[in-house]
Amino acid sequence: MKSSKKLSLLLVMTLILSLFLAACAGGSDKKDGDTSKEEGTTNADTKDDGGDLVIATISDAAKLDPHLSTDVPSANIQTNLFDGLVKKDENDNIVQNLATNWETIDETTWVFDLRDDVTFHDGEEFNAEVVKKNIERVLDEEVGAPRAFVFEVITAIEVLDEFKVQITTEFPFAPLLAHMSHPAAVMVSPKSIDEDYAAMEDGGEPGSVINLNPIGTGFFKFESWDPGTQIKIVKNDNYWGEEASLNSVTFKAIPEGGTRLAELETGHAHLIEPVQPSEVELVNDSGKGMVDEKISSSLAYVGFNLEKEPFNDVKVRQAVSMLINQDDILQGIYEGYGVAAVGPLAPGVFGYDDSMQPLSYDPTAAKELLAEAGFPDGFKTTIWTNDNQQRMDMAVLIQEELKQANIEVSIEIVEWGAYLDKTANGEHDMFILGLSNPVGDADYFLSQLFHSENKGVSGNRSFYNNPDVDQLIEDARKENEETKRLNLYKEVQEILIEEAPMVYVHHQAYLTGVSNQIEGYWIDSSGYYKLQHVRFGE
């Protein structure tokens, strides 16, 4: 640009100096470990700038309305946007969150004292009326919340004063506090709820407003969502508690494990999850990060559709279970990471019983059962999975192992959102899925996967229906005496192992690649990222 002759010498020198300083600030000289944006990273340049954390994960969220979603990728976003009355700490203890105190007035009545200094991201105030509105929305049949069973024992929510709420249950319910820590039990802006109901009255789907703009009270708030690509959340500067260290977090959906690994190695991502077991050594030896391993309370399983032949026959289900070599999956695909499952519950979950005996690998006995069921020459079926590499590998392994009994298996890979919808609708024969247990109690897990009232979207995608199991689950949730409750859950597990509505494969280890640049990250036993205290190091 030419200088005007009318410019004073002082102005010219000032301009030259400013351009020089700008050039220095944006220079391309790089020291070892430089992570400037020219190399694709987004971390902080100074301690005063929290930076942008980039997480490369296998799947995009399905829904951002916490009352309507059912999957871990969605919950991983929501758990950083929303607060519940209580939460679990790093040791799985129930601790205060939006509630400062709680007490039981009698066996069926709980009173919660609430914080009086909380506002939502849209400026709406949090109070007892908001708690009532949220719980009633989850229980509203018109909304159709798939996790309504989390609150189904609640018969009344009474506002005692502005910051005190009373909850009454139908019967004594020991795991109420645990259920209150569930991702579906978080508080959504009352204004958002009203707008969502208004959209429903105009013909919209439940959640149509909240999915597009989820508003909570959390330490991060929602900024944008490019479906199938990325979601961005930003720091809530008006958070009622300890503020997040980061300025923002970007969740990038990257299905391919090798691509996620490259993102970590090049500094384009700071967390990658999951790391494939075969990649653990590569990450640890890369000099760029280390793998964090967390044994989960989740269950990886192969489900059957019991409303379709031949899986309506228990002998067929038992036979398929005995044809699948659990050790081949755990060692061959997961390289020993995780714990072999005996039944549906993981060690550490209340109700787990280590005396349970599994349906062991036994091809000879399996073929005998198939002959008894009328399938001496096998049959044809399909197995579904989403584009999770480990699940796809598992499908191939199962396909090969079932060939030994002349069972011909076709593999279908379905996009994640459609996968959840189609399995909820019962369109499958066999399917591979997993379920986390965020409350750490048998009631949540067994009710969701096996109670007949939860068929379909609520979790029972095997469409299992056993009145005796229903009754045992209901009896156990009403029982406050711990030993009696454990005995009831033992009986349930014995039946579920025998009737084999699914193949209980393993309780996975969550493997996360963590960049050397960041500190303060942890993941809970349900697989939810805890990002409040994550920060970039020196």
Side-chain angles (χ1 to χ4, degrees):
M1 183 176 68
K2 295 181 179 179
S3 300
S4 169
K5 292 181 179 179
K6 295 183 179 179
L7 284 174
S8 69
L9 179 61
L10 177 61
L11 290 175
V12 173
M13 294 301 295
T14 301
L15 178 61
I16 292 171
L17 179 61
S18 65
L19 290 173
F20 172 76
L21 291 174
C24 290
S28 60
D29 292 339
K30 301 177 182 65
K31 299 178 182 178
D32 290 343
D34 189 317
T35 54
S36 71
K37 291 185 180 180
E38 290 188 26
E39 292 192 356
T41 59
T42 52
N43 63 301
D45 292 324
T46 71
K47 293 178 67 175
D48 294 330
D49 181 1
D52 179 55
L53 182 79
V54 178
I55 301 177
T57 185
I58 192 168
S59 298
D60 191 15
K63 294 179 179 178
L64 294 184
D65 183 336
H67 297 161
L68 296 181
S69 68
T70 61
D71 61 306
V72 171
S74 297
N76 267 328
I77 310 296
Q78 297 155 10
T79 193
N80 295 287
L81 300 177
F82 297 93
D83 295 310
L85 300 190
V86 299
K87 64 180 180 180
K88 286 193 171 184
D89 65 13
E90 201 163 351
N91 298 312
D92 275 343
N93 297 315
I94 300 289
V95 296
Q96 300 173 352
N97 204 18
L98 294 179
T100 59
N101 185 54
W102 49 86
E103 61 178 330
T104 51
I105 305 304
D106 55 45
E107 288 187 331
T108 60
T109 308
W110 295 69
V111 172
F112 292 83
D113 295 317
L114 309 175
R115 296 191 66 92
D116 61 3
D117 57 351
V118 179
T119 57
F120 287 88
H121 302 151
D122 59 359
E124 291 286 303
E125 293 186 0
F126 168 75
N127 53 40
E129 290 286 357
V130 170
V131 175
K132 179 179 172 66
K133 182 186 287 282
N134 273 266
I135 295 176
E136 288 178 342
R137 179 177 188 253
V138 175
L139 291 172
D140 187 347
E141 293 182 0
E142 294 296 319
V143 173
R147 296 294 187 260
F149 64 86
V150 171
F151 288 151
E152 67 183 355
V153 300
I154 295 176
T155 56
I157 310 112
E158 184 179 352
V159 174
L160 300 183
D161 64 35
E162 188 175 5
F163 298 106
K164 189 185 293 287
V165 64
Q166 178 174 292
I167 294 175
T168 304
T169 58
E170 181 182 355
F171 44 78
F173 186 60
L176 180 67
L177 274 183
H179 278 220
M180 285 291 183
S181 70
H182 189 279
V186 297
M187 299 292 111
V188 176
S189 163
K191 183 179 179 182
S192 291
I193 292 177
D194 291 341
E195 290 174 349
D196 205 81
Y197 272 116
M200 288 171 60
E201 291 178 1
D202 291 336
E205 291 292 321
S208 61
V209 171
I210 297 171
N211 276 325
L212 293 177
N213 186 26
I215 298 173
T217 63
F219 40 84
F220 285 105
K221 56 186 181 180
F222 175 76
E223 181 172 279
S224 63
W225 185 11
D226 181 6
T229 303
Q230 71 176 38
I231 293 173
K232 187 164 187 176
I233 60 178
V234 297
K235 180 179 179 179
N236 176 14
D237 291 322
N238 297 313
Y239 185 55
W240 56 267
E242 183 181 353
E243 292 183 1
S245 299
L246 299 163
N247 283 348
S248 59
V249 182
T250 301
F251 297 82
K252 297 167 66 174
I254 301 178
E256 302 82 13
T259 306
R260 291 195 301 275
L261 179 60
E263 291 281 297
L264 182 69
E265 290 178 337
T266 59
H268 286 75
H270 310 106
L271 289 173
I272 62 171
E273 198 275 327
V275 173
Q276 303 299 329
S278 61
E279 298 168 344
V280 170
E281 190 172 343
L282 293 174
V283 173
N284 288 340
D285 292 343
S286 69
K288 300 294 185 179
M290 296 294 291
V291 172
D292 177 80
E293 179 182 354
K294 175 74 172 181
I295 298 297
S296 73
S297 59
S298 69
L299 172 70
Y301 64 90
V302 180
F304 306 110
N305 187 340
L306 274 62
E307 293 186 344
K308 284 189 176 182
E309 295 182 349
F311 301 116
N312 58 340
D313 189 323
V314 64
K315 291 182 178 180
V316 172
R317 302 195 301 271
Q318 290 173 337
V320 172
S321 298
M322 296 166 75
L323 287 165
I324 297 175
N325 191 331
Q326 187 184 47
D327 192 58
D328 283 350
I329 295 174
L330 192 56
Q331 299 300 326
I333 297 175
Y334 294 92
E335 299 191 11
Y337 290 103
V339 177
V342 174
L345 298 181
V349 172
F350 180 85
Y352 171 78
D353 192 307
D354 60 8
S355 70
M356 297 289 102
Q357 296 297 316
L359 286 175
S360 300
Y361 178 67
D362 192 338
T364 301
K367 293 174 184 177
E368 292 173 357
L369 284 169
L370 285 173
E372 292 174 15
F375 298 97
D377 300 320
F379 56 87
K380 294 182 179 181
T381 189
T382 60
I383 187 166
W384 286 11
T385 179
N386 67 311
D387 56 358
N388 176 311
Q389 186 61 55
Q390 292 164 337
R391 289 177 184 165
M392 292 190 291
D393 291 345
M394 192 189 305
V396 172
L397 188 150
I398 291 169
Q399 182 185 53
E400 289 300 311
E401 293 194 324
L402 296 193
K403 283 181 180 178
Q404 61 189 315
N406 296 315
I407 299 175
E408 185 179 329
V409 180
S410 299
I411 298 172
E412 294 187 19
I413 300 172
V414 185
E415 182 274 329
W416 180 238
Y419 188 69
L420 295 177
D421 291 340
K422 288 176 176 291
T423 53
N425 293 333
E427 300 176 31
H428 55 284
D429 295 332
M430 299 171 64
F431 67 108
I432 301 173
L433 201 57
L435 182 69
S436 63
N437 190 341
V439 305
D441 190 278
D443 177 78
Y444 170 81
F445 216 69
L446 299 179
S447 294
Q448 186 174 177
L449 285 178
F450 305 109
H451 198 290
S452 61
E453 289 185 356
N454 292 324
K455 287 182 181 180
V457 69
S458 291
N460 183 354
R461 296 169 194 264
S462 296
F463 295 84
Y464 179 70
N465 186 355
N466 184 327
D468 291 336
V469 168
D470 286 353
Q471 189 61 56
L472 286 166
I473 291 172
E474 291 166 15
D475 290 345
R477 59 174 21 195
K478 297 175 184 178
E479 179 57 64
N480 275 333
E481 205 284 304
E482 186 172 294
T483 301
K484 292 180 180 178
R485 216 173 153 230
L486 289 171
N487 287 335
L488 290 168
Y489 287 137
K490 179 179 181 180
E491 189 174 349
V492 172
Q493 291 171 84
E494 288 172 341
I495 295 172
L496 291 173
I497 293 171
E498 178 69 18
E499 296 203 339
M502 59 179 59
V503 182
Y504 312 103
V505 179
H506 79 296
H507 311 293
Q508 76 177 89
Y510 295 123
L511 302 175
T512 308
V514 183
S515 168
N516 292 335
Q517 299 176 33
I518 67 167
E519 304 169 349
Y521 166 80
W522 64 284
I523 189 171
D524 70 12
S525 60
S526 301
Y528 302 151
Y529 310 139
K530 301 300 182 178
L531 304 178
Q532 184 176 13
H533 299 119
V534 174
R535 62 193 176 278
F536 287 97
E538 297 295 331

